[in-house]
Amino acid sequence: ELKVEQNPLFLSMQEGKNYTIYCNYSTTSDRLYWYRQDPGKSLESLFVLLSNGAVKQEGRLMASLDTKARLSTLHITAAVHDLSATYFCAVDISNAGGTSYGKLTFGQGTILTVHP
Amino acid sequence: NAGVTQTPKFQVLKTGQSMTLQCAQDMNHNSMYWYRQDPGMGLRLIYYSASEGTTDKGEVPNGYNVSRLNKREFSLRLESAAPSQTSVYFCASTWDSRQPQHFGDGTRLSIL
């Protein structure tokens, strides 16, 4: 059974600081997704990482994937209040034939609060 | 440009009642998914449909059934609702698994 674990689960940051959210998963996969969810809202896609060593950046967020370590990171640079949200990583396992149907297993989520 | 539309947005049921949650997407996506989200947890996959005419179980399918009515629509049915099915239900769709899934706004379901 695939397990996806995020840490920390709660993150309180000051504006302007840097921090990293970690996403570990327990079985082979080369497809990892990061989503953002605001309270009471839907999920918004942030990044899709499709190969070992993939790195993507958008604004103050940068995501990377190390498939050998089964680890993805979401790095926050110079945090601002607008980044306050819950961040989820999700992993897609290919089936035995190598075909993926997008069956995502989500981490528990990291609740990020950015303070002035 | 509606994206993924879920109805209803809120619903309260009594134990034992049945109900169907509706989901429709206008992006011509092949694959559609139903998830549930419980407090303090990530989303868990209930059922999915990789393409029109196919459906398969996800991680937590017990107590649910689905129908992929056509390429646009994917419904989730609770035949006999139980309090443990109180949750927020999200429908999602994607063109293929190399693309992100697009999520609806969710249905908040309470079962008394």
Side-chain angles (χ1 to χ4, degrees), chain B residues 40-53:
Chain B
M41 299 180 69
L43 280 70
R44 291 182 292 169
L45 182 64
I46 304 171
Y47 270 93
Y48 70 101
S49 172
S51 60
E52 186 179 357

Side-chain angles (χ1 to χ4, degrees), chain B residues 10-14 82-83 85-87 89 108-112:
Chain B
F10 302 92
Q11 185 71 47
V12 179
L13 293 178
K14 294 181 179 178
Q85 294 177 305
T86 293
S87 190
Y89 291 85
R108 284 148 183 82
L109 182 61
S110 294
I111 299 162
L112 307 176

Side-chain angles (χ1 to χ4, degrees), chain B residues 12-60:
Chain B
V12 179
L13 293 178
K14 294 181 179 178
T15 297
Q17 287 185 315
S18 62
M19 131 154 241
T20 300
L21 279 60
Q22 306 287 353
C23 175
Q25 51 90 11
D26 62 2
M27 296 172 283
N28 201 34
H29 285 167
N30 291 323
S31 303
M32 298 185 73
Y33 308 84
W34 277 105
Y35 295 91
R36 61 179 287 174
Q37 184 177 29
D38 300 302
M41 299 180 69
L43 280 70
R44 291 182 292 169
L45 182 64
I46 304 171
Y47 270 93
Y48 70 101
S49 172
S51 60
E52 186 179 357
T54 69
T55 61
D56 207 346
K57 296 178 181 179
E59 181 185 352
V60 288

